[in-house]
Amino acid sequence: MKRLTIVSLLPLLLAGCYTVSDYKGDGTLVDHGHRFVTNKYTLTLGHIDLTRAQELHFRMSGLPRREFVVGVKLDPVDCSLASSEIRITIDVRVARGPVVIHEDHALRELVWTRNEHDGCNPLFGYVRGAATELPDRNGNVRMQPIITGADGGQGSYFHSRESASYDVTIGIQPDAQAPSGSHHAKIIVDDNGPVP
């Protein structure tokens, strides 16, 4: 009897699960599998040329309910670019609604994740955002993010809503002192885990 109940409920349980086919926006959303708590989803919106002034526009719609962080991945990796004065503007807004993220920084001001085997290998650049220290009664301190935008926006992080559509604008202002050659970046929206 128990086996019959579980089997009969399985389709109902699976129907509530998010699938990447629910995503209807620009770019390519990849699901890395259920074994990941963070980095389960990666959305690659597109590529941007870091050597010329430009502004690119994207739409995200039907994202899973998660905390995401918007940033760039240098392609190919160039350590000198991560410390350059090339400016990037990241602007995310709820479609026909309020600002979620608005950040404007030189690449050298971004937080860069790094390959653990090569400290010079910048993998992903993002904006952490401000936080305040909250002490507990045991003397421990935890950092509380300061929310500056709609949908939990702080730095280049936000809490997506499955029912929301987001307009994303990425702007580049090149740096004349940047290394010569062709320099590009992927615009990545990376999953940072369940909404806290």
Side-chain angles (χ1 to χ4, degrees), residues 1 16 23 37 40 43 54 78 86 95 109 122 126 134 137-138 145 158 173 177 187 190:
M1 183 68 159
Y23 179 72
V37 174
K40 177 173 171 43
L43 172 60
Q54 61 184 304
D78 183 335
I86 296 170
E109 298 170 334
Y126 64 96
L134 293 177
R137 48 185 167 196
N138 298 325
F158 73 104
Q173 286 300 319
Q177 305 301 316
I187 301 160
D190 214 2

Side-chain angles (χ1 to χ4, degrees), residues 42-61:
T42 300
L43 172 60
T44 303
L45 285 175
H47 289 78
I48 194 161
D49 183 346
L50 300 173
T51 61
R52 65 183 185 93
Q54 61 184 304
E55 198 173 86
L56 298 178
H57 302 275
F58 304 96
R59 170 66 62 100
M60 301 183 299
S61 184

